[in-house]
Amino acid sequence: VVVPKPGAELSLDELGGYFESRGAAVFKRPERLRLVEQLPRNPVGKVVRAELLRIATATRDEEAGR
């Protein structure tokens, strides 16, 4: 799950290329990419991991409300 900078676009291939250029092992490179406007946070400002996991594993049908 990635929050891109305003106006920036990012693809899985670009992200994989970045990891490759940094010498990351193949098994450490991302297999999926979810772009979000902001990370889910609780009132204290910490990232809500359960919600982040739901976003990361959601299918396109679930996102569309189907």
Side-chain angles (χ1 to χ4, degrees), residues 60-66:
R60 291 181 185 207
D61 287 342
E62 290 172 342
E63 288 177 352
R66 296 180 192 163

Side-chain angles (χ1 to χ4, degrees), residues 2-3 13 21 25 28 33 35 61:
V2 175
V3 178
D13 290 336
S21 72
K28 292 186 177 183
L33 175 64
L35 299 177
D61 287 342

Side-chain angles (χ1 to χ4, degrees), residues 4-58:
K5 291 181 179 179
E9 303 233 352
L10 182 65
S11 71
L12 183 58
D13 290 336
E14 291 171 332
L15 188 59
Y18 173 79
F19 275 78
E20 182 178 359
S21 72
R22 300 292 187 192
V26 173
F27 73 91
K28 292 186 177 183
R29 296 180 196 158
E31 297 176 0
R32 295 181 305 265
L33 175 64
R34 292 270 188 221
L35 299 177
V36 295
E37 292 183 19
Q38 63 185 18
L39 296 176
R41 296 189 180 269
N42 67 16
V44 177
K46 293 183 178 183
V47 173
V48 180
R49 292 181 184 186
E51 182 65 16
L52 194 60
L53 178 61
R54 188 196 64 74
I55 292 169
T57 59

